[in-house]
Amino acid sequence: MQPQITTKQAAAAATSAGAMLSIPWKRWDASEWGVALFAHYFLATQRDEPLVRLSVTPEELAKVAQAAPSEASAVSGAFLAAIACTPDEFRAHLRTSRLTGGAWPRSDPPPFLPYLIFTCYAAATLDEIVAEEGDFRRRIRDLLRHPQGTSYDLEDLPKLWHALRGWLTRLRAAGVAVRRLDLPDPGYMKRIGHSVRLAFPQRGDRERLVIVLAGLSDDTLPTMAEAFALVARGIRQFSSDFQELFRRAQEILAHGAGSPDLRLVWSALHDAAISKQLVRSVVILKPRFHLLAYDDDRGRLDPVVVTNRRIETGKTGITCKDLPDHADDYSHFLANGQGGTRTIADLLFNQALADRLSEVSKTPLARAVTEGVLLFRATDSSTWTLCLTRESEGRCRAMVHRRQAASLRKMITATSVQMVEAVVTGWEEVTGFDFADLADPVIAAPELANVRALQRVEAGAQIQLVGGIRTSSGFLGTAALLPDVRCRDATSVSVYRYTSNSVNAPAPVEQLVPVPGRPGSFCWPCPRQTMGGSLLFVATNESGEIATRSIAFESAVIGEEFKAPSDTARWMAEGGLKDIVTADKIDAFLIAAEAQSWNDGFASDPLASDGSISPHLRAVDDDRGFDEMVEALACIGLRRQGLAEEEFVALGQAVGVLAPGEPIWSAIRAWVEAGYVDVLSNPRWRGRTYFARRPRLVAVPSNAGSVRLVLHGLASRSTRYRVRQLFARTGVPPASMASLSPCVPVPLAWRTDADAAWIEELSREAELPISWAAHPNSMIRSLDEVFAVDASPPGVHSLLRTWDWTELGFRNIARATTVAHQRDGRSGALRDSDASVVVDFHARVDGPDEYHVGTSDGRTIAVTRSRTWALLRAFSAARRSPFSPHGARCFVRVGGDGPVVPLPAARALQLWSGLLSGPAQVAGKGRVYIYAAQNAGARRRILDALSGRREHAGSNRTLAWLVAAVSAHSGSGVPIPREIRLRLEEMVDVPDALALARSSIPASLLPHLRRAVSPASKPQIS
């Protein structure tokens, strides 16, 4: 008698299938692969569809692992590695020794399941290792890399297939929605017949598919229409079984529907198209061209033509250069004689590049440009790559010819779409949508039906996820960032989690809400809940269930190994001792050895010395928005290299950290200064990229001998918990820190009197590196010493924006008035006639942008790639102070734009003062960007350095002392005499003078003020 499976046991099988999917597929062993294979092939589908064929291709294995199609080869390699074993172990896996009465007695998937599936893979795969091997057992030997001469009797193989069929039957009887397995007649192949004939398509049909699909004119993957048309023309050369199934799938495709048969055939066609044999036969003979794009400083796509190898360009005016960071196998890019890439893009988009390089003609890239619609997807390295065929889901941007723009807009169902003028004349750029937001062109925009990039590449209804934060195995389960769902033809989508109490009729944990006016679109109900574990999405309509998909959601991020640029020396960052430094120098404000205590070390309480400010004490754990932002940034940092500024903004707005009406750039700058993220620029491409900073402990000494230990960087929820538990266990008390801005969370900090050796040991136990904070004064030089960039050759730059001294912001220059940069700086475009100092922002088509500081009569003062240092130098030359004192030790920049403290000094200031900087609302000043120093003396020194002024006869020190004294005075004061006030107002570059000019002061301080502003002691402006 065969063993029975109880309802509770069946529930365990379903639950284990869901829970396992939260483990990244790269770490799966054979048993975990068995659970995933069970969930994919047998569990997540309608009960009444018998399983009569198995498609075990790399593409299908990628679906098993919930991986991207581009990872199919890596997934199949991981599957083979997981089941790899010795010949004796492999023979044991395919024996009946674990069966009871010829049946698998337990509820969990049998351990021989992955090996049965492997036999189907071996029967038909076109894997390079066995491409020329026709013998089934030798194919097994070669795939498992067993020694030559290894043999396998496989006597029990059919018995195991029958045991699997019986186990599935008993699961169905216990109430689990699994498919019935119908085993084919093995024919003359008594032992291997089930494996060979279950595998679809059979090996001979797969080889014929490769030959047929080699008729494609290029190496790109085919659309469904192209592949079906090619196979239909040569259908008679295939087996009768394949012909029958293909014709059924073809009929279903013609009616725009979906079915298991269509999905099975399309999977086979797709696998043949991406086989290495096909790729080799097409691409080795000629170079391939592709299109990458980088975000420029205005968030638009800046396209770059790349190629897979160095090509000879002759006297075409085109050069072929090494690509700094390889994208797939594209290792070179095309540029003009000066290294510029925009010129090449202009030639390509105007269909003139082939006139200079004949190899470009008749390539997929040339065809895509001719058709006028280019779709780009985001890559793991914060760039965009052209998609020559349509993808199923993921962030998308488009460049579309002006004649096609209106039609493409009709195809996009998203409401957040924006269309702007592209960097290439005659083209538009479309942002704010997902591949899943693209409707069928045949229905929505028939005039685009022949555009290859828009044609269907999916069979039947599919559940697609839009938005969200992707992890290595699924999505982050943060409530505010859950992805929305798209499923064509669906009227409802339910979300299930299997439990031991609800196997026969599992209740959905969520019923998604249809989006009004957008058929097939669904969102989560409000209020949302954080999701964890594996969830099953089931889409239905009036005909019943039409699609399912299992997705793993992670409720927390584990790890601190955030991805950084592969070559930090190629990336630039804002410096303090130089205007621009390479990314490996960005941590100059941290030193390895114990720091020397300064006389103005941090106070034990950062709030005690200044009652004029209202900081907040909310740490990441105290605010849901802060916590969700940090988890999302950590998740992205673990998975890929950097995120673009538009992603950072969208993420902050989604979790409520960047509220509508807030100065977005200032808020992002505050997160950078607080050390949660770094902002870097590639010197060859325009635009900014944000990278999560790996957490570390930073030690800051005090005058009293104690040390503040700050958890600095982006510390995820699990990291914060681990470090808090360690400090509580070792008895180290918390230390106070605060934030001057409501949009920046306070880092965790502790105070200890221990020596450096004990602190070093504590950091090792915390599994975090330890550094000491350099003093802010050591992080900045005088303005005349920092500039490292020379003026560029004439004709390389174009003037885009110029600084407006009235509005205190950069003003755009219309394209019609844009002029090429001349070395003497006499562009004459949109100047403020009253200003003697001019700041121009120049964009390059062949490299990094630059800021030119000069005078209205054409004299150059400084050239830099740093916006911060350009404005600081301009304010100094214009005898204007960028900051003004506030209270006893704070200083502010009024308005939403303007100079900021250079990044290394800003980070050091926060660590020593215990107060984080950022945008805030200050009484009497309105919206400001506010900083704090340790005390008034430290503030004076940093303001002196940032304004470029020199002290003379001690007047600056006296004025700083007077400001502090006035702030501390609680009684009434007397008006400042008019002649003293006028002298103070003349000292436009001295913030303390301007602050006092608008104040009333105690009468006892008037003599000190009079001496400070006497002509003999006035500062001399250089």
Side-chain angles (χ1 to χ4, degrees):
M1 180 178 177
Q2 290 188 343
Q4 298 300 308
I5 297 177
T6 66
T7 299
K8 187 173 182 180
Q9 289 173 327
T15 303
S16 65
M20 191 282 310
L21 290 175
S22 61
I23 304 172
W25 59 265
K26 294 179 181 179
R27 302 208 310 260
W28 288 354
D29 58 20
S31 63
E32 288 159 343
W33 268 104
V35 175
L37 292 165
F38 163 65
H40 177 75
Y41 287 110
F42 303 104
L43 179 63
T45 186
Q46 300 182 65
R47 291 182 56 178
D48 297 330
E49 293 180 356
L51 185 63
V52 296
R53 297 177 180 86
L54 280 173
S55 174
V56 192
T57 63
E59 183 202 27
E60 202 68 22
L61 290 174
K63 293 179 181 177
V64 171
Q66 301 288 336
S70 60
E71 297 179 296
S73 178
V75 174
S76 62
F79 171 63
L80 294 177
I83 65 170
C85 55
T86 67
D88 287 341
E89 290 171 336
F90 179 74
R91 296 185 193 102
H93 284 304
L94 291 179
R95 295 210 181 274
T96 57
S97 55
R98 295 190 181 185
L99 301 183
T100 301
W104 174 244
R106 298 175 53 180
S107 61
D108 52 321
F112 53 80
L113 176 59
Y115 297 92
L116 288 181
I117 300 297
F118 165 72
T119 62
C120 292
Y121 181 88
T125 182
L126 296 178
D127 192 294
E128 183 180 14
I129 298 175
V130 293
E132 304 301 326
E133 179 57 66
D135 183 270
F136 178 73
R137 290 172 176 81
R138 291 177 183 173
R139 292 164 69 81
I140 289 178
R141 179 198 66 197
D142 293 344
L143 286 170
L144 296 179
R145 302 183 184 277
H146 288 167
Q148 292 290 324
T150 302
S151 62
Y152 318 91
D153 58 38
L154 302 179
E155 180 180 357
D156 290 343
L157 184 58
K159 298 176 184 178
L160 294 179
W161 278 114
H162 284 275
L164 176 63
R165 181 179 63 181
W167 176 70
L168 292 169
T169 300
R170 293 194 301 280
L171 276 181
R172 287 167 61 86
V176 180
V178 295
R179 299 177 72 175
R180 184 177 75 252
L181 176 61
D182 288 353
L183 294 174
D185 182 354
Y188 68 91
M189 297 178 288
K190 299 300 183 182
R191 296 186 181 182
I192 65 174
H194 291 325
S195 297
V196 171
R197 295 186 174 180
L198 269 173
F200 179 86
Q202 296 179 22
R203 184 167 179 263
D205 287 328
R206 291 197 187 199
E207 291 174 337
R208 296 181 190 101
L209 281 175
V210 169
I211 296 172
V212 168
L213 292 177
L216 291 171
S217 60
D218 53 61
D219 61 299
T220 60
L221 295 179
T223 65
M224 292 185 73
E226 291 171 336
F228 269 81
L230 276 173
V231 175
R233 287 199 290 269
I235 190 61
R236 297 192 176 206
Q237 60 186 291
F238 292 88
S239 68
S240 58
D241 179 66
F242 184 88
Q243 290 185 45
E244 178 185 353
L245 192 61
F246 178 81
R247 289 193 174 102
R248 286 207 303 269
Q250 195 176 27
E251 183 178 347
I252 294 166
L253 178 64
H255 289 85
S259 77
D261 289 345
L262 177 58
R263 288 192 289 271
L264 198 64
V265 171
W266 173 236
S267 178
L269 269 59
H270 196 267
D271 176 63
I274 63 176
S275 68
K276 293 183 179 179
Q277 286 74 24
L278 175 61
V279 173
R280 278 206 307 268
S281 67
V282 175
V283 305
I284 281 185
L285 302 178
K286 57 184 180 181
R288 288 182 293 135
F289 296 89
H290 199 59
L291 202 60
L292 300 181
Y294 300 81
D295 289 312
D296 70 4
D297 71 301
R298 301 172 68 182
R300 298 176 304 173
L301 292 178
D302 199 352
V304 179
V305 179
V306 295
T307 180
N308 64 325
R309 67 189 190 194
R310 185 175 295 279
I311 60 174
E312 295 298 327
T313 57
K315 298 181 180 180
T316 60
I318 298 174
T319 59
C320 188
K321 295 178 173 291
D322 292 338
L323 189 65
D325 295 304
H326 287 201
D328 297 326
D329 60 343
Y330 294 99
S331 54
H332 296 79
F333 70 96
L334 302 183
N336 60 17
Q338 292 80 34
T341 58
R342 182 74 59 79
T343 304
I344 308 302
D346 287 337
L347 289 171
L348 174 69
F349 280 74
N350 289 308
Q351 302 181 40
L353 184 58
D355 296 337
R356 301 196 189 186
L357 292 175
S358 59
E359 298 99 325
V360 176
S361 63
K362 298 182 181 180
T363 63
L365 177 58
R367 172 181 172 175
V369 172
T370 302
E371 291 179 339
V373 178
L374 303 176
L375 301 180
F376 294 83
R377 65 172 172 85
T379 70
D380 287 349
S381 55
S382 191
T383 59
W384 297 83
T385 185
L386 178 67
C387 297
L388 294 168
T389 53
R390 178 170 168 172
E391 300 203 356
S392 59
E393 63 186 25
R395 287 197 312 127
C396 180
R397 292 168 76 170
M399 293 183 70
V400 55
H401 195 278
R402 198 162 289 160
R403 68 175 183 274
Q404 311 277 47
S407 298
L408 180 64
R409 181 63 186 89
K410 290 189 299 183
M411 276 189 60
I412 304 174
T413 60
T415 57
S416 57
V417 175
Q418 295 182 350
M419 187 173 292
V420 297
E421 187 177 11
V423 297
V424 180
T425 304
W427 289 68
E428 301 289 327
E429 184 173 329
V430 188
T431 62
F433 70 103
D434 191 281
F435 280 102
D437 291 319
L438 289 170
D440 190 334
V442 175
I443 299 173
E447 61 273 22
L448 297 181
N450 292 326
V451 175
R452 191 169 188 269
L454 299 176
Q455 294 175 12
R456 291 175 57 192
V457 292
E458 292 178 333
Q462 304 284 332
I463 290 179
Q464 301 162 322
L465 301 184
V466 177
I469 306 297
R470 294 181 183 269
T471 66
S472 59
S473 59
F475 283 83
L476 188 65
T478 298
L481 300 171
L482 294 175
D484 290 340
V485 171
R486 306 280 189 274
C487 185
R488 185 167 56 93
D489 300 329
T491 56
S492 67
V493 175
S494 304
V495 185
Y496 293 87
R497 180 185 289 115
Y498 286 96
T499 67
S500 58
N501 297 323
S502 58
V503 175
N504 292 320
V509 295
E510 286 288 1
Q511 188 69 43
L512 300 191
V513 179
V515 178
R518 298 176 62 190
S521 296
F522 302 86
C523 62
W524 296 79
C526 292
R528 302 175 180 180
Q529 59 174 313
T530 296
M531 293 294 177
S534 183
L535 302 178
L536 181 65
F537 291 74
V538 179
T540 59
N541 59 19
E542 62 278 0
S543 63
E545 176 185 309
I546 61 173
T548 63
R549 182 173 177 182
S550 296
I551 297 292
F553 285 86
E554 298 180 18
S555 57
V557 176
I558 306 296
E560 298 98 24
E561 296 300 312
F562 303 137
K563 292 187 177 181
S566 53
D567 185 357
T568 52
R570 294 185 181 272
W571 290 75
M572 312 304 293
E574 183 181 298
L577 304 181
K578 286 291 184 183
D579 58 338
I580 292 292
V581 297
T582 53
D584 54 345
K585 305 288 195 308
I586 199 169
D587 283 338
F589 70 103
L590 303 175
I591 53 180
E594 181 178 354
Q596 297 295 316
S597 295
W598 291 59
N599 291 332
D600 52 355
F602 75 81
S604 58
D605 182 357
L607 307 182
S609 60
D610 198 338
S612 61
I613 54 177
S614 301
H616 72 82
L617 304 174
R618 286 178 294 134
V620 175
D621 297 300
D622 303 322
D623 184 280
R624 182 171 180 174
F626 289 157
D627 178 66
E628 292 176 339
M629 183 77 168
V630 167
E631 285 298 287
L633 289 172
C635 184
I636 294 171
L638 287 171
R639 184 171 175 266
R640 60 186 174 94
Q641 291 182 324
L643 73 161
E645 194 162 75
E646 64 158 355
E647 289 183 86
F648 197 108
V649 172
L651 183 60
Q653 291 174 335
V655 300
V657 169
L658 302 180
E662 288 285 338
I664 289 176
W665 192 89
S666 294
I668 295 176
R669 173 72 185 192
W671 278 71
V672 173
E673 290 181 348
Y676 294 112
V677 292
D678 285 328
V679 57
L680 306 177
S681 299
N682 190 317
R684 184 169 294 282
W685 321 117
R686 304 169 61 192
R688 294 175 289 269
T689 304
Y690 293 82
F691 294 84
R693 281 179 61 81
R694 295 181 181 181
R696 64 171 61 233
L697 291 174
V698 178
V700 191
S702 74
N703 295 334
S706 64
V707 175
R708 180 194 287 134
L709 295 175
V710 182
L711 182 57
H712 200 257
L714 195 78
S716 66
R717 196 179 301 146
S718 60
T719 301
R720 299 194 305 271
Y721 176 80
R722 186 184 79 233
V723 177
R724 279 200 310 270
Q725 293 295 103
L726 171 64
F727 278 88
R729 190 170 62 251
T730 53
V732 181
S736 58
M737 287 191 73
S739 177
L740 297 168
S741 174
C743 66
V744 189
V746 178
L748 298 177
W750 297 264
R751 186 186 304 111
T752 180
D753 296 325
D755 59 18
W758 187 88
I759 293 174
E760 189 82 28
E761 178 61 31
L762 186 68
S763 74
R764 282 194 290 270
E765 192 171 349
E767 301 177 18
L768 293 173
I770 181 74
S771 300
W772 291 77
H775 195 274
N777 287 1
S778 66
M779 288 294 98
I780 198 165
R781 284 182 182 158
S782 67
L783 293 174
D784 294 326
E785 296 181 80
V786 301
F787 294 98
V789 180
D790 295 327
S792 298
V796 173
H797 287 76
S798 296
L799 176 64
L800 286 189
R801 293 188 287 278
T802 191
W803 181 255
D804 189 320
W805 287 100
T806 302
E807 298 179 0
L808 294 181
F810 278 98
R811 181 169 53 182
N812 288 336
I813 304 293
R815 282 197 175 190
T817 61
T818 300
V819 296
H821 164 59
Q822 304 296 323
R823 180 172 290 279
D824 63 2
R826 296 178 184 271
S827 61
L830 298 182
R831 303 287 194 205
D832 183 340
S833 58
D834 297 329
S836 59
V837 177
V838 178
V839 189
D840 287 336
F841 171 67
H842 292 270
R844 286 184 60 166
V845 297
D846 62 344
D849 303 327
E850 290 181 356
Y851 295 86
H852 292 247
V853 182
T855 59
S856 54
D857 62 0
R859 181 169 56 90
T860 296
I861 298 175
V863 179
T864 177
R865 297 172 189 162
S866 168
R867 181 184 188 277
T868 294
W869 280 106
L871 291 178
L872 288 173
R873 190 67 184 88
F875 271 70
S876 173
R879 298 168 59 89
R880 298 181 62 155
S881 177
F883 304 102
S884 62
H886 177 72
R889 59 190 180 118
C890 292
F891 58 98
V892 301
R893 183 204 72 202
V894 178
D897 204 350
V900 288
V901 176
L903 187 58
R907 287 176 169 173
L909 272 175
Q910 295 184 0
L911 290 167
W912 283 75
S913 68
L915 293 169
L916 271 63
S917 54
Q921 192 76 26
V922 173
K925 295 182 181 292
R927 175 67 64 180
V928 302
Y929 200 96
I930 185 168
Y931 293 91
Q934 304 91 283
N935 51 45
R939 177 181 64 185
R940 175 181 50 78
R941 288 194 297 270
I942 196 73
L943 290 182
D944 283 348
L946 293 177
S947 64
R949 63 176 176 265
R950 301 172 182 171
E951 295 181 280
H952 183 75
S955 62
N956 286 6
R957 286 191 294 271
T958 303
L959 291 173
W961 172 78
L962 287 169
V963 169
V966 170
S967 299
H969 182 68
S970 58
S972 60
V974 299
I976 294 177
R978 184 173 182 275
E979 68 277 8
I980 298 179
R981 179 169 53 80
L982 291 176
R983 289 180 182 176
L984 289 170
E985 290 176 348
E986 290 175 358
M987 301 166 66
V988 294
D989 66 324
V990 183
D992 291 325
L994 298 179
L996 287 169
R998 307 180 184 96
S999 305
S1000 297
I1001 68 171
S1004 59
L1005 297 180
L1006 274 176
H1008 300 283
L1009 179 59
R1010 192 180 301 277
R1011 283 194 298 271
V1013 300
S1014 64
S1017 64
K1018 284 181 60 178
Q1020 303 299 310
I1021 307 301
S1022 59

